[in-house]
């Protein structure tokens, strides 16, 4: 494992922990898109079904279990425990416009036309756009809490580090996965505008505001 993948994984884990702590400590899921969290839960579920069929390493297995468990814990906190604080009116992105095309694309473009491989491909494509309901929600409300922006920044950093991971693997291991790379680039591009606002406003102590 190279340093880019390790720091990418840690950044991803940090994002998940930041979000869970935010919800639990504030006893509120205000400003959090439940739809994005459901999409992430679907992403991890469909990607890590190989937990039942193969073992790579203890680290790999532990991270997969943590991602799946935390994603469902987040969905539970939003839709069950702190449901009264959930802003469903602003979390109005039509996720079917993401899931249906992504599902069709996974069937058409994949590495191998098998059940697990199609689900893995589906998870890669879906993860690249799963954050859109959250970004859409922020654009509708016009602002985001600082802790939410830290969560989004860590997620974006994770994807950016994984791009460097793929470059490293190509040059030093000869590994190249076009599906994962293209999806990762798309996902990173979605964060670019947010990164600019994060650096110019949040890190200077200003409140993040986005045009509605």
């Amino acid at each position: 494992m190279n340093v880019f993948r390790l720091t990418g994984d840690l950044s991803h884990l940090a994002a998940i922990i930041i979000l869970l702590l935010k919800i639990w400590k504030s006893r509120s899921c205000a400003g959090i898109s439940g739809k994005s969290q459901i999409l992430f839960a679907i992403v991890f579920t469909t990607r890590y079904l190989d937990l039942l069929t193969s073992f790579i390493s203890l680290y790999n297995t532990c991270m997969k279990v943590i991602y799946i468990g935390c994603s469902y814990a987040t969905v539970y906190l939003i839709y069950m425990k702190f449901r009264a604080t959930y802003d469903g009116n602003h979390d109005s992105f039509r996720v079917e416009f993401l899931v249906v095309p992504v599902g069709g694309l996974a069937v058409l473009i994949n590495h191998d036309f098998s059940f697990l491989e199609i689900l893995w491909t589906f998870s890669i494509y879906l993860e690249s756009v799963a954050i859109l309901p959250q970004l859409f929600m922020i654009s509708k409300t016009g602002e985001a809490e600082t802790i939410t922006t830290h969560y989004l920044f860590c997620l974006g950093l994770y994807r950016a580090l994984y791009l460097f991971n793929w470059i490293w693997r190509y040059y030093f291991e000869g590994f190249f996965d076009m599906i994962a790379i293209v999806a990762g680039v798309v996902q990173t591009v979605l964060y670019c505008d947010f990164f600019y606002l994060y650096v110019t406003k949040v890190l200077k102590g200003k409140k993040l505001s986005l045009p509605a």
Side-chain angles (χ1 to χ4, degrees):
M1 180 187 300
N2 62 70
V3 66
F4 297 114
R5 178 179 175 182
L6 178 60
T7 52
D9 287 346
L10 293 178
S11 178
H12 194 185
L13 186 59
I16 294 171
I17 292 173
I18 286 171
L19 185 64
L20 281 171
L21 287 178
K22 183 269 181 191
I23 296 174
W24 187 258
K25 293 182 71 174
S26 67
R27 318 297 286 183
S28 171
C29 55
I32 303 298
S33 169
K35 291 184 177 181
S36 270
Q37 297 310 311
I38 288 176
L39 292 180
F40 282 123
I42 295 173
V43 165
F44 297 136
T45 302
T46 53
R47 182 175 303 171
Y48 298 142
L49 286 176
D50 63 351
L51 276 170
L52 305 174
T53 60
S54 63
F55 176 81
I56 298 174
S57 67
L58 182 60
Y59 170 83
N60 184 273
T61 298
C62 288
M63 293 300 283
K64 289 177 179 180
V65 171
I66 289 172
Y67 289 152
I68 293 173
C70 287
S71 65
Y72 280 98
T74 304
V75 171
Y76 167 76
L77 292 179
I78 293 173
Y79 286 100
M80 299 293 290
K81 191 169 184 64
F82 303 123
R83 182 178 178 83
T85 64
Y86 170 57
D87 185 6
N89 291 327
H90 285 118
D91 192 16
S92 56
F93 192 95
R94 300 285 296 277
V95 294
E96 61 268 27
F97 292 155
L98 299 178
V99 175
V100 174
V102 161
L105 187 62
V107 172
L108 293 173
I109 304 176
N110 50 68
H111 294 307
D112 179 53
F113 196 77
S114 64
F115 180 69
L116 287 180
E117 186 64 29
I118 290 174
L119 287 182
W120 179 86
T121 306
F122 170 79
S123 77
I124 295 296
Y125 292 152
L126 184 60
E127 186 183 16
S128 70
V129 294
I131 200 62
L132 281 176
Q134 180 67 67
L135 297 178
F136 182 74
M137 186 177 184
I138 292 176
S139 71
K140 287 194 70 176
T141 58
E143 61 184 30
E145 295 181 20
T146 300
I147 195 69
T148 306
T149 62
H150 292 334
Y151 159 72
L152 290 172
F153 178 80
C154 285
L155 272 187
L157 181 62
Y158 141 67
R159 293 315 311 178
L161 286 168
Y162 255 62
L163 291 180
F164 288 106
N165 164 59
W166 291 319
I167 293 172
W168 175 283
R169 295 191 65 184
Y170 175 73
Y171 279 102
F172 293 97
E173 301 175 16
F175 176 83
F176 184 77
D177 188 332
M178 180 61 74
I179 289 176
I181 291 173
V182 171
V185 169
V186 169
Q187 188 172 1
T188 305
V189 168
L190 291 178
Y191 285 96
C192 285
D193 186 51
F194 173 82
F195 279 155
Y196 172 77
L197 292 172
Y198 184 89
V199 171
T200 58
K201 293 190 175 184
V202 177
L203 294 185
K204 294 181 179 179
K206 299 178 182 179
K207 194 168 186 177
L208 177 65
S209 298
L210 297 175

